[in-house]
Amino acid sequence: MKHEPLLKSVLAAATLALLIWGGVPLYRHRHFDLQIVEGPGVSEVLKLGTYSPGIRGTTADTCIFILRGKEPGGKAILLGETHSNEPEGLLAALVFIENAVVDKGTLYVIPFFNNSGSRNTRPGDGYPLYFEVPTDWGAVKFRMGNRDASPLDQWPDPDVYVHYPDRQLLSFIDVRNVNRTWPGRAGGPLMERVTFGAMEIMRREKIDVAVDMHGAETMFPVTNCIVAPEKSVKIATLASLTVKATEGFENHVEPSPPGFRGLSHREIADHSDTLPFLLEAPTPFLDQPTGPKTTKLLMDGKDPFLLSLAGKKKLFVPYDASGWSMERRVGQHCSVVLEILRQFSKKNPDKAIIVRGVPRHAEIVKNGVGHYFANPAKADREKVILN
Ligand SMILES: [Zn+2]
């Protein structure tokens, strides 16, 4: 018995060491900022808290890059990382921020829409904390986030999330999912304040087009598509047909179900004059029956289990040994966004949004995504934004 205090001290020290060993990488991940180089089209960078004061000073606040054209015209907003484990949306948003030049109209781009989610992770699923994108000058390191906001920022979860304002009962976890908390409210849970901020941009700035960029499982039926409510369907269909005819990739249109509340394509349509679109690119990393969740799987989308399931016709997209690479997913998002803007502008010449400098699908597949990212070390310090 005389060794008991010694044993307790050793166990306490071992527990503390384990906590530090496990906690320090998570702390570093949460505080790791990406350096974003403002491209030639960026005229202003604001915080979402400008439109939703309830998120100021919290981890949910995030940057809005504004690209104003020389001529007035229509306005569009692009959202990346609504779900931070679907980084194709983030990378496509960054390609716009770093390369787009707007000749007419205005573009608002939010690369980390769920900034708290981008600083969260999923250790139980063996998610990597970071991934890298090779560029012409070295590799850029990105945070790999989670679908939901961090419980460090919004806690506790309710037993059931009662959607505002429809009172539809949703899963408890959806209270931290910014694709269930639309249209949000100024004083609601933190993630409702995030979507409220985006709704305020749309209402106050009179945004014409909103595009929310995602990735989806290959085994999920709503994948490789443009989700559109009734009022956006015509433009979505024209965009889908045009990219197929001119760029050779499939991207079908899915209707936004009117009874499923909280989603961007549903609530933006019902609570503003903006035309919403939600893009889904096939992301093998997200499927359940894959091998380990490695950064290689995230980037190349190659998985032997999915390949075998494709042979049994269990996937909703064509799938072969070439996988479904990040280049294809980001290229698809860039082309579809450009095509939506072009089709909207054709129908509404007085509110045209004319954008140049953004590569399309084939160019991104050929050159890689990183080819379109500037080196922050070589950029003017005032043009480097931390997010
Ligand atoms: Zn998503």
Side-chain angles (χ1 to χ4, degrees), residues 82-83 85-86 147 177 179 213-216 278-280 286:
T82 284
H83 293 142
N85 55 343
E86 300 162 11
R147 181 174 171 86
N177 173 357
N179 204 27
M213 298 178 288
H214 291 245
L278 185 148
L279 312 188
E280 295 282 17
L286 298 173

Side-chain angles (χ1 to χ4, degrees), residues 51-52 183-186 192-201 203:
Y51 294 89
S52 180
R185 55 191 149 169
E192 284 192 6
R193 290 180 245 158
V194 169
T195 47
F196 173 80
M199 286 304 306
E200 280 293 281
I201 302 176
R203 291 187 284 242

